[in-house]
Amino acid sequence: MATVGLFIPCYMAVARPDDALHARRVLEALGDTVEAIDGLCCGQPAFNSGFREEARRVGRQALRAATDVDTIVVPSGSCTSMIRHYLPGLFERDRRRTADIRSRRFVEFCSYVANHPKRESLELSLPGVVAYHDSCHGRRELGITLTVKDLLGSIGELEVRTLTHEDECCGFGGTFSVKFPEVSREMSACKLADVRQTGARVLVSADLSCLLHLETAAREERLRIETWSMAEVLARALP
Amino acid sequence: MSSFRERAAQDIEARGEDPGVLPLMRQLVVDSHAMLSRAPADAAQRAQDARTHAVDNMARLHAEVREKLAERSIGYHRAASAEDAVAIVELLLGSAKRVAKSKSMVAEEVGLTHALRNARIDVLETDIGEYIVDVDGRGPSHITAPALHLNRARIRELLNRTGASLDTDDPEQLSRYVRDVVGDYFTRCDAAITGANAVIASSGRIAIVENEGNVALGVSHPRLHIVITGIEKVVADEAGALSVLEVLAANATAQPLTAFTHFLGEPLPGQERHVVFVDHGRSAIAADRRYRDALRCIRCGACMNTCPVYRAAGGLSFGSPYMGPIGAVISPLLWRDGRADDLPFASSLCGACTEICPVGIPLHRMLLDLRGDAVEDHRAGNRVERAAWAMWARSLGSGRRGRMAERFARIGIKAAGLAPGFGRLVGKRLPRSGARHSLDMLRASAPQAEPKPTTVPPAIPDTGLPDLFRARAGLLGVTIAEQATLQEGDRRLKATAAIASTGSVVLTGEMANRRELLAARRVVVDLDPATIVEYPHQVEPYLGDGDALILTGASRTADIEKKIVRGIHGSEELVVVMGEGEAERRGS
Ligand code: SF4
């Protein structure tokens, strides 16, 4: 039985704390002992805004959490990509190496579950229909699209519908959506049109940040859809 | 000066329900992809290698090309700044007062047309899209399809404003009208200016691609031909250039190759030819390890075609001749006066650009570096935003943990609306969600809309290169014949070689006489099937060492709503004679 850290992204803690519980349930169902790592942030909001020094200071704390845990599961594609691909680059030479080594202990939630030795033991079933939103970070930075789809596909009685323009961005982009709300809205409208076309009422993704953004946009359009993270889908599919 | 945000908001507002360029761009990305899949599997890698070599060896390649151009009696000039570039061109023009200009991004970048007009030189944009955009006056909205944002009705209106009396919106009629204006101008202009896609160091030849034939007319101007291009465009050899051009054509216009691929050798008798290499900040970009690779760009436009921000905001919103992701990267590096400093922020960092870029430019990562630089140099991030991030970093970077949610929320809500990023995440507009999710929603689905049927591409013959050539040339509207009876006005030529995968024929030396070719009613090319190669880069040994011209289908344009119109400057009809009849004729 492994002890794993569960990194609770700052925005998840605030906007949808239930998802942290969902993720914990799934990990425990796999037989892991879970240690929640709360109160930290990967630094991405500042980093994407050009505030590298601030991002480094905040991200450093996240990396420290990996000092004595071998595996830290992160239920957010974009935080995982920030930590693994960008955070080490904010440090100078010798520290960069340490940062790099620690950053690799962070694993995206879906890939962790999909590659877990006890995965087969999970009997997943959830009757209904969902549409799948592929996040840009998951798709292009982490390359986990197929992994997530396989995982979704392994849930009994669940029909997964695909968006026609699956590779297109939902328009969030962190501070981008606040700096350029008009452009962001055009992009999310496009995405929602595609979601609507699937007929599904529940939209699923490995990235909660996209989902929260789309949920806000859907509410503005008075569209009746719910957004579920992969953690929630898996947790609810447990026996 | 307006910002990207203001321009984009205006554009979106003005467009209303009209989806703008989105459907065209989606289709183009699909078509380009299909076209690229016909190229050899390593085409993009070859193109990337050629471009990387060019960028990493600029000094050496320039020394070499300078010598080779001199051997061909072609002038070599180097302009450090935009002003220098204009001054050099003016000097070269001498007493020339009427100039036919074809599409050149560098000319756009240095404001050449505008500057020459200020110097009382008459300049006509001879590319159909550029001509229209010039009349419109607001600049191009795409690097390869400048008039993309204008629909046919608007184009008619614009043309009629210049004295045309067009009573039709038909892209074919509109294109023909501009063609005639341009064709007439070419009979009386004093000089021609073109861009270049590559200048080849080992041979001193200049490679230029185009579809309409206006470049063919320009490069064969009887008196003076001036090429203006960036210093990064010198590549080692023809094979590298051909890989670049193949990838360029596939991405830019979903074509196997452009209608005309010119390799220019010596100037024509009586003609003067000069190349002006423009630096304008490129040396500084090359010196910065983080941005140097941006100079690999072949201006194919794929990054903007795929960019969701470009599609939503439109090209004009970028306020730069270079738009989309590559524009957001190089504009602030070329213009250090702050005019483009907000562009690196105009991206959701989705990475679609990096994924599609054929020469491997990590565009979205460069955008992140540019953002960091802008904040560091105080070119971005106002006082309020700086204070908010500092507060955020103090709180979350202190190492004290626990009660984080509350702490973050407190700062977040304070910062909402002040520091971008927090508002949407933790601001008032986003109540705690998820708690009310019910299983019922999983069962409340409606049926999915029927997917559009996808067209299956025609099967690829694998019965040898001649058959592949026939099939590919056929798709381009080329007539393949066993024999041809010559008719009045035909021009009969002998091909040096052909390229099967693209359906192209290669003409060299005398056969590449462009003005005679364009004047022909019909072009009939004899081809020896033994000289067919499979891919563009393999045709290098057949290009001779002087003038060469690769014809891929007939002269055409797609500058109006991406609708293809054949036969612009030059014949609609291209006949290739191959097979038995050809062999017999040669034997007799
Ligand atoms: S950056 Fe890449 S994709 Fe964009 S225009 Fe240049 S070569 Fe094409």
Side-chain angles (χ1 to χ4, degrees):
Chain A
M1 232 174 28
T3 300
V4 295
L6 175 63
F7 184 88
I8 302 172
C10 59
Y11 70 93
M12 180 182 282
V14 174
R16 204 181 276 186
D18 287 359
D19 269 355
L21 303 177
H22 292 310
R24 173 190 279 271
R25 267 199 70 202
V26 175
L27 295 177
E28 283 173 352
L30 287 164
D32 289 345
T33 308
V34 180
E35 223 175 81
I37 300 171
D38 197 359
L40 297 173
C41 169
C42 64
Q44 180 165 228
F47 180 66
N48 282 1
S49 305
F51 288 80
R52 293 189 281 230
E53 176 51 25
E54 288 77 359
R56 191 185 59 78
R57 276 169 57 197
V58 169
R60 187 177 52 190
Q61 302 299 339
L63 288 177
R64 278 207 182 131
T67 316
D68 30 50
V69 192
D70 285 342
T71 305
I72 297 183
V73 179
V74 187
S76 163
S78 74
C79 302
T80 316
S81 130
M82 173 67 197
I83 294 170
R84 291 176 66 111
H85 298 322
Y86 296 101
L87 200 46
L90 294 176
F91 295 88
E92 291 304 325
R93 317 228 160 268
D94 46 333
R95 297 198 172 181
R96 183 175 296 186
R97 272 205 37 210
T98 324
D100 202 39
I101 292 165
R102 285 192 187 158
S103 77
R104 273 180 258 134
R105 297 184 182 156
F106 290 78
V107 186
E108 193 278 328
F109 173 74
C110 292
S111 354
Y112 179 78
V113 174
N115 298 320
H116 198 284
K118 294 213 190 116
R119 177 195 162 175
E120 299 303 325
S121 70
L122 292 184
E123 277 171 31
L124 299 170
S125 170
L126 190 65
V129 177
V130 296
Y132 172 64
H133 167 67
D134 203 24
S135 85
C136 299
H137 281 111
R139 186 184 189 88
R140 304 203 176 90
E141 302 272 7
L142 301 174
I144 56 169
T145 298
L146 293 180
T147 306
V148 183
K149 282 186 170 177
D150 278 354
L151 202 51
L152 264 180
S154 72
I155 301 176
E157 293 181 85
L158 188 69
E159 183 189 334
V160 183
R161 292 183 183 168
T162 317
L163 303 193
T164 313
H165 305 286
E166 183 178 64
D167 57 342
E168 292 178 6
C169 173
C170 70
F172 177 50
T175 53
F176 167 78
S177 65
V178 183
K179 285 192 168 153
F180 306 98
E182 299 85 1
V183 181
S184 170
R185 205 171 300 131
E186 280 284 297
M187 290 160 68
S188 29
C190 247
K191 185 55 76 180
L192 287 175
D194 204 353
V195 174
R196 197 160 20 188
Q197 160 279 127
T198 66
R201 293 261 173 223
V202 174
L203 184 65
V204 173
S205 176
D207 243 308
L208 180 63
S209 54
C210 306
L211 291 180
L212 293 173
H213 172 71
L214 287 170
E215 186 172 293
T216 312
R219 200 176 307 125
E220 279 166 13
E221 281 190 33
R222 300 187 185 289
L223 209 69
R224 224 184 112 237
I225 58 158
E226 279 181 5
T227 64
W228 292 26
S229 70
M230 277 300 288
E232 175 165 6
V233 175
L234 292 173
R236 291 187 169 218
L238 289 172
Chain B
M1 210 169 55
S2 63
S3 65
F4 173 85
R5 180 181 170 186
E6 287 159 357
R7 293 185 295 259
Q10 256 168 33
D11 197 286
I12 289 167
E13 162 98 41
R15 219 164 60 212
E17 292 297 298
D18 183 347
V21 299
L22 173 80
L24 286 177
M25 295 291 95
R26 273 182 176 162
Q27 191 56 46
L28 181 54
V29 169
V30 171
D31 294 346
S32 301
H33 190 78
M35 194 51 74
L36 270 178
S37 67
R38 283 189 189 182
D42 61 350
Q45 189 58 49
R46 281 169 185 284
Q48 176 168 333
D49 292 347
R51 290 302 310 145
T52 306
H53 182 270
V55 172
D56 292 348
N57 298 279
M58 271 207 283
R60 198 167 60 67
L61 290 169
H62 267 266
E64 195 180 345
V65 84
R66 180 174 199 152
E67 221 167 87
K68 288 288 155 51
L69 287 172
E71 280 170 23
R72 293 189 188 269
S73 311
I74 298 172
Y76 171 103
H77 310 267
R78 197 162 163 140
S81 65
E83 296 73 33
D84 280 3
V86 171
I88 291 172
V89 171
E90 270 187 52
L91 207 68
L92 294 172
L93 283 174
S95 62
K97 285 290 165 219
R98 284 178 304 251
V99 178
K101 185 188 149 293
S102 61
K103 196 163 157 24
S104 150
M105 288 313 301
V106 176
E108 197 75 42
E109 175 188 325
V110 301
L112 185 64
T113 299
H114 185 75
L116 292 180
R117 283 178 184 160
N118 278 347
R120 297 180 181 283
I121 295 167
D122 190 55
V123 182
L124 190 81
E125 296 287 356
T126 61
D127 172 89
I128 294 177
E130 293 278 327
Y131 179 95
I132 294 165
V133 160
D134 189 27
V135 175
D136 179 52
R138 288 180 304 162
S141 68
H142 190 284
I143 56 170
T144 68
L148 188 71
H149 58 300
L150 301 167
N151 64 26
R152 52 182 84 186
R154 174 82 186 130
I155 291 171
R156 174 172 69 114
E157 207 181 299
L158 286 168
L159 295 179
N160 281 345
R161 207 193 279 169
T162 63
S165 47
L166 291 154
D167 191 32
T168 168
D169 284 349
D170 178 14
E172 181 162 344
Q173 302 300 320
L174 300 175
S175 300
R176 293 254 146 80
Y177 168 80
V178 179
R179 186 266 317 265
D180 290 344
V181 174
V182 167
D184 175 58
Y185 194 82
F186 265 111
T187 63
R188 56 194 167 84
C189 63
D190 310 318
I193 298 176
T194 71
N197 299 90
V199 184
I200 290 132
S202 59
S203 69
R205 281 197 282 201
I206 302 159
I208 316 177
V209 300
E210 58 142 349
N211 287 307
E212 293 169 10
N214 60 320
V215 172
L217 288 167
V219 300
S220 53
H221 189 278
R223 268 197 45 218
L224 178 59
H225 170 216
I226 300 171
V227 175
I228 182 166
T229 193
I231 56 166
E232 79 281 19
K233 286 285 187 271
V234 185
V235 302
D237 52 30
E238 271 85 359
L242 282 160
S243 292
V244 166
L245 302 181
E246 180 176 24
V247 170
L248 169 65
N251 274 329
T253 47
Q255 302 185 88
L257 276 179
T258 48
F260 303 89
T261 302
H262 302 279
F263 283 90
L264 306 178
E266 271 76 25
L268 307 171
Q271 184 196 43
E272 241 186 79
R273 179 172 286 150
H274 297 273
V275 186
V276 182
F277 290 100
V278 179
D279 189 320
H280 190 223
R282 285 168 174 75
S283 294
I285 297 176
D288 191 328
R289 216 164 32 82
R290 298 170 308 160
Y291 305 125
R292 159 190 283 202
D293 291 346
L295 293 178
R296 288 185 198 157
C297 177
I298 61 171
R299 308 284 187 255
C300 72
C303 56
M304 56 201 76
N305 297 344
T306 198
C307 175
V309 174
Y310 173 85
R311 291 167 171 185
L316 295 178
S317 302
F318 288 80
S320 164
Y322 300 111
M323 54 292 288
I326 187 64
V329 168
I330 59 170
S331 302
L333 293 170
L334 293 175
W335 291 280
R336 308 259 177 169
D337 58 3
R339 71 174 86 169
D341 282 349
D342 58 344
L343 294 187
F345 293 88
S347 163
S348 65
L349 302 171
C350 75
C353 47
T354 302
E355 181 179 83
I356 207 170
C357 176
V359 290
I361 305 174
L363 291 153
H364 75 291
R365 290 175 186 232
M366 289 186 180
L367 291 176
L368 277 163
D369 281 332
L370 287 162
R371 291 179 186 189
D373 288 1
V375 168
E376 222 162 271
D377 309 343
H378 288 260
R379 287 178 286 115
N382 60 25
R383 217 161 40 83
V384 182
E385 188 179 350
R386 281 169 193 276
W389 286 120
M391 184 165 68
W392 173 85
R394 261 201 307 283
S395 164
L396 285 171
S398 67
R400 279 178 284 114
R401 280 159 63 179
R403 294 198 306 112
M404 175 271 158
E406 290 90 324
R407 208 163 64 212
F408 185 86
R410 209 173 53 238
I411 299 165
I413 286 162
K414 251 195 221 163
L418 300 180
F422 295 135
R424 287 218 158 191
L425 287 179
V426 291
K428 300 134 247 171
R429 290 207 284 148
L430 197 73
R432 278 190 173 208
S433 64
R436 294 164 292 110
H437 285 174
S438 84
L439 293 171
D440 295 343
M441 285 295 267
L442 290 172
R443 298 191 192 95
S445 64
Q448 180 158 23
E450 281 293 315
K452 279 203 210 99
T454 43
T455 45
V456 186
I460 306 163
D462 56 359
T463 46
L465 295 180
D467 283 348
L468 181 60
F469 174 82
R470 273 192 199 96
R472 290 288 154 81
L475 286 177
L476 294 163
V478 176
T479 311
I480 310 284
E482 298 277 304
Q483 295 160 321
T485 328
L486 285 199
Q487 298 161 5
E488 179 80 24
D490 278 0
R491 181 159 172 78
R492 185 156 201 170
L493 299 164
K494 173 90 189 74
T496 318
I499 307 166
S501 70
T502 60
S504 318
V505 290
V506 180
L507 305 168
T508 54
E510 261 310 291
M511 295 291 153
N513 184 319
R514 293 169 177 84
R515 295 229 163 176
E516 284 181 22
L517 185 96
L518 294 186
R521 201 187 58 79
R522 203 169 68 135
V523 177
V524 182
V525 180
D526 288 318
L527 172 66
D528 174 358
T531 61
I532 301 177
V533 300
E534 186 165 11
Y535 294 123
H537 67 271
Q538 296 163 335
V539 90
E540 176 170 18
Y542 296 90
L543 288 177
D545 58 5
D547 239 9
L549 173 59
I550 302 175
L551 289 183
T552 308
S555 146
R556 56 188 173 263
T557 187
D559 276 354
I560 301 177
E561 294 183 7
K562 290 250 152 230
K563 295 272 175 307
I564 295 173
V565 180
R566 288 210 171 81
I568 300 301
H569 305 284
S571 172
E572 239 174 286
E573 244 189 293
L574 178 61
V575 182
V576 175
V577 181
M578 63 188 285
E580 299 302 312
E582 205 275 341
E584 264 166 43
R585 195 183 53 82
R586 282 201 318 142
S588 66

